[in-house]
Amino acid sequence: MNVIIDQRTGYWWAAQLELEVGYWWRILWEPTSQHLTAYYRGRWEVGGFYHKGHTPKDLWPLMRETQHEGRRRALVANAPVPPVLEERLPDALWRAEG
């Protein structure tokens, strides 16, 4: 399915996702390639980690999995531990997805 997502919606998705996860992720909307890119800010190897998805629904499970691993690494290193992300996509984003 090739649905064109308008820029306003894409930027809103990125901003709303960042609000939902706090400072643990930096999320950007890339209008030319029509996808979101989420950069993990927690404890990881040098070079960091990121995910891409066309919608918040695509991105959320990947972010949850990475954040879970980030929690494990932080606990081992006695570093700040990121919160657990809910299994379900936050309501505001779920409604926007349709």
Side-chain angles (χ1 to χ4, degrees), residues 6-46:
D6 68 90
Q7 285 188 29
R8 221 165 90 188
T9 298
Y11 289 125
W12 183 85
W13 281 346
Q16 191 64 35
L17 275 167
E18 271 197 27
L19 282 174
E20 294 292 340
V21 297
Y23 70 92
W24 293 99
W25 294 86
R26 174 64 173 127
I27 301 165
L28 304 172
W29 171 248
E30 299 185 37
T32 55
S33 53
Q34 292 280 295
H35 71 267
L36 295 155
T37 302
Y39 297 93
Y40 185 60
R41 292 180 171 173
R43 189 162 189 82
W44 213 264
E45 288 93 18
V46 174

Side-chain angles (χ1 to χ4, degrees), residues 42-63:
R43 189 162 189 82
W44 213 264
E45 288 93 18
V46 174
F49 201 82
Y50 69 94
H51 293 293
K52 292 184 180 209
H54 289 286
T55 67
K57 191 165 38 174
D58 297 338
L59 200 53
W60 191 254
L62 302 171
M63 291 170 60

Side-chain angles (χ1 to χ4, degrees), residues 75-89:
L75 288 167
V76 168
N78 200 23
V81 179
V84 174
L85 294 182
E86 297 293 326
E87 187 170 337
R88 188 170 163 221
L89 186 65

